[in-house]
Amino acid sequence: MNALTDSVVLPSDGSRALLVGRVWDPESGGPRVVSVRGDEVFDHTDRVRTVSALLDLDDPGEWVASDQSLARWSLASLVEASLEAGAERPRLLAPIDLQVVKACGVTFVDSMVERVIEERCGGDFHRAAAVRSSVLAALGGSIGSVQPGSEEARRVKAILSERGMWSQYLEVGLGPDPEVFTKAPVLASVGFGSPIGIPSFSEWNNPEPELVLLVDSHGRARGATLGNDVNLRDVEGRSALLLGMAKDNNASCAVGPFIRLFGGDFTLETLRDEEITLTVDGQDGFRLRGQNSLSRISRPFEDLISAAFGAHHQYPDGFALFTGTLFAPTHDRDAPGQGFTHHLGDVVTIASPHLGSLVNVTARAEELTPWTFGVRRLMEYLASGSGPQPLPDQAPLEAVQKVSG
């Protein structure tokens, strides 16, 4: 993978962005909570234990901006180390830690059509082109503007069912309630530069470039980042009940590069028209380009958050919420009519103007370094003295007491 400069990783207005994340620190043997200002990366772990706790502060952006922690690393060196496989140097991690990773599916009516195609193919990519043609013929035109839960949506569902095109994806794509599922265990997500895992049992799979909202324990959206909801189309196409097998595998959830905190002129409103781009560069010379235009999402961000969080379900450590994707690759790669699937060594770049770039390379999931640093290891690390300690010249801050519980 070609090295990227820190200017590519950062948002286009990076000098004004409040960016937080995590760095693996070999010296202490654990993750550090950091912020980024230009090329300097500041370690805040002496004052706040986790990113989850930081996001629960009354004003995370103001806290980060006013904290007097010293810079420990250069962003350029962290980017370089993150792109070097096996580098035993400080490197970027996924910027989330104790947050549950949730995901909303079929939030774009356009992409719902591809889910229907997967289902009718039974996961067999050889049949994709023929099935796509029949499904689109039955639709009789685009339904991208249909509002889920509306009377028009109910009519579309009825018409498709009458034509033998009923699908469970029609319910979550056009019905009143979105699909919400758990994408990955706590601390299992990988960050910028890390390999992403494609299991050996999948022959039809793809990246899913998505906006990821960071929501605190009170249900407040505090910031956003980019995510790759790696998907096994052949597995989910066999049965939606295999969603866990299709979505949750070793290194199958990539998040990063940083969380951009809301503040100033960067708000949730800013992201309603964000354009997230996807580029896949294969070792075979193949290049795939795609786009996830959030202006075409069929459900407001607030509805997705309330579907996950509320009186029916709480998240005391907050949660990261994948908001779905418009992109569904149909470009033929290996043979006519077979569509797109990953090859090992594909470089996947997901980028947007306000959130920077997330870069990963595909690898065999079974051959990647096993995931071993879980919640117990994190608690042991924080309790060992390598974690946050009061600074020598002051008593513990009230903010630390709040976030430490």
Side-chain angles (χ1 to χ4, degrees), residues 170-298:
L170 297 179
E171 178 58 38
V172 292
L174 297 173
D177 301 308
E179 175 189 23
V180 183
F181 60 93
T182 300
K183 166 63 181 178
V186 170
L187 292 175
S189 301
V190 298
F192 175 92
S194 295
I196 48 177
I198 306 295
S200 58
F201 53 76
S202 175
E203 295 182 338
W204 189 20
N205 42 72
N206 66 280
E208 293 192 353
E210 301 193 23
L211 171 73
V212 181
L213 296 176
L214 276 299
V215 184
D216 69 9
S217 66
H218 303 286
R220 300 172 295 188
R222 289 311 190 94
T225 187
L226 298 169
N228 186 351
D229 179 16
V230 180
N231 184 46
L232 310 184
R233 299 190 72 177
D234 47 359
V235 174
E236 186 177 357
R238 286 161 49 202
S239 170
L241 297 181
L242 294 175
L243 183 66
M245 182 180 180
K247 293 291 190 178
D248 184 9
N249 295 286
N250 194 19
S252 65
C253 180
V255 181
F258 302 103
I259 297 168
R260 182 168 183 175
L261 300 175
F262 291 133
D265 59 0
F266 178 69
T267 67
L268 197 59
E269 291 299 317
T270 309
L271 296 172
R272 297 194 196 276
D273 295 316
E274 191 81 347
E275 296 286 335
I276 299 176
T277 60
L278 167 77
T279 305
V280 177
D281 288 301
Q283 295 180 345
D284 56 352
F286 177 87
R287 168 166 276 206
L288 174 71
R289 292 185 181 275
Q291 196 141 334
N292 183 15
S293 301
L294 289 170
S295 62
R296 294 173 63 184
I297 197 167
S298 57

Side-chain angles (χ1 to χ4, degrees), residues 3-26:
L4 297 181
T5 63
D6 53 350
S7 61
V8 175
V9 177
L10 295 176
S12 57
D13 59 344
S15 61
R16 296 189 293 120
L18 288 168
L19 302 172
V20 297
R22 294 192 307 144
V23 166
W24 179 262
D25 178 32

Side-chain angles (χ1 to χ4, degrees), residues 359-381:
V359 181
N360 304 94
V361 61
T362 57
R364 186 66 69 208
E366 294 89 342
E367 298 173 1
L368 293 176
T369 303
W371 172 43
T372 59
F373 197 98
V375 176
R376 184 172 61 190
R377 284 279 301 276
L378 176 63
M379 295 300 102
E380 291 171 349
Y381 170 73

Side-chain angles (χ1 to χ4, degrees), residues 28 66 90 98 117 123 164 171 290 310 405:
S28 64
S66 62
L98 294 180
I117 290 167
E171 178 58 38

